[in-house]
Amino acid sequence: MDESSPDRFAEAMARFSAYWNEARAGDTWEPDAMTLATATLDGRVSARVVLLKQAGAAGFVFYTNYESRKGRELAANPYAALCFFWPRLRCQVRVEGRVERLPEADSDAYFAGRERLAQLGAWASKQSQPLESPEELEQRVTELDAQAERVFASSSIPRPAHWGGYRLVAEAIEFWMPGQGRLNRRELYRRNAGGEWEYLYLNP
Ligand SMILES: Cc1cc2nc3c(=O)[nH]c(=O)nc-3n(C[C@H](O)[C@H](O)[C@H](O)COP(=O)(O)O)c2cc1C
């Protein structure tokens, strides 16, 4: 990149952060919510909402169960898409890229800061597997809570190996804003084959 050309990736991330901060400043329920789409190797797609915990040069970070449906799909096919819709800001942001697991130390640090009930839930919930009844899960949590010191030989709850963070390393980030008469505006930042980030408009 020559000195006069703007750093398009930095620009896209700065725009993303401005929206995210504004969403968080309002009274929106779950301003960190984003739709995460994953796919199996044979092209069956699934989508669900997860919470964005961090966004920066290293990627878009979320936490989940590695053995969940999304975890299994990401293990087979690490490409995924995120979609944010903040109605109050009249904005949609789409992000696409490759997903990788966070270093274990990062997941440990995040897990250690979670409330105890959420920590116990991460052990007790076999995410995406059939469950006899909601009471069954509550009972597993209650039992684990009572036995935690013995089971973990510690007063704190360690992170289960099946639970942790992922980061989506963006290859494309698109901002959508409404325009008059549906002449909406779409601005795409994407990494081209040469690894440079470019900026273009798309037809709405
Ligand atoms: C607002 C909201 C936030 C959520 N945040 C998370 C999250 O951060 N991590 C997570 O694993 N599931 C989260 N969920 C639950 C997921 O949508 C989903 O039910 C779960 O992860 C299982 O998905 P899977 O079976 O496709 O793996 C959230 C759901 C909602 C509605």
Side-chain angles (χ1 to χ4, degrees):
M1 185 172 42
D2 71 62
E3 282 186 9
S4 60
S5 72
D7 179 344
R8 292 301 192 182
F9 176 66
E11 185 181 299
M13 290 311 296
R15 286 181 68 177
F16 177 83
S17 296
Y19 275 123
W20 191 24
N21 288 336
E22 206 180 328
R24 297 177 110 185
D27 62 359
T28 316
W29 187 60
E30 303 290 22
D32 306 337
M34 56 185 184
T35 298
L36 163 72
T38 55
T40 60
L41 269 184
D42 58 352
R44 296 292 290 254
V45 179
S46 66
R48 79 290 288 151
V49 169
V50 293
L51 295 178
L52 177 69
K53 292 294 173 181
Q54 238 179 291
F60 291 75
V61 172
F62 58 93
Y63 290 87
T64 191
N65 185 314
Y66 291 139
E67 292 165 7
S68 63
R69 178 173 179 186
K70 72 182 93 49
R72 282 182 277 114
E73 291 185 1
L74 287 169
N77 169 15
Y79 291 94
L82 306 174
C83 186
F84 297 83
F85 174 48
W86 288 303
R88 190 174 56 83
L89 309 183
R90 300 180 178 220
C91 165
Q92 169 183 254
V93 184
R94 295 165 62 171
V95 185
E96 289 170 29
R98 204 183 146 88
V99 176
E100 50 195 53
R101 284 191 187 189
L102 282 189
E104 296 204 359
D106 293 14
S107 291
D108 288 341
Y110 177 75
F111 189 83
R114 298 189 95 206
E115 59 169 310
R116 183 180 169 88
L117 189 58
Q119 292 177 333
L120 292 166
W123 278 99
S125 168
K126 300 180 177 73
Q127 194 176 55
S128 315
Q129 299 300 316
L131 178 67
E132 198 66 51
S133 69
E135 292 72 32
E136 185 199 322
L137 179 60
E138 280 169 28
Q139 196 181 332
R140 279 212 293 270
V141 170
T142 306
E143 281 171 13
L144 191 59
D145 194 11
Q147 299 167 12
E149 259 193 80
R150 186 178 55 75
V151 171
F152 301 119
S154 157
S155 56
S156 56
I157 315 254
R159 177 179 64 88
H162 64 252
W163 193 97
Y166 287 104
R167 62 176 165 225
L168 183 146
V169 180
E171 292 169 0
I173 305 173
E174 186 207 310
F175 297 88
W176 179 102
M177 291 136 282
Q180 281 200 334
R182 301 267 166 188
L183 295 179
N184 307 318
R185 190 149 164 171
R186 298 178 64 188
E187 298 176 44
L188 175 65
Y189 295 81
R190 74 174 173 208
R191 212 177 61 202
N192 64 24
E196 300 271 296
W197 279 79
E198 54 188 21
Y199 169 74
L200 52 151
Y201 295 110
L202 296 179
N203 279 270

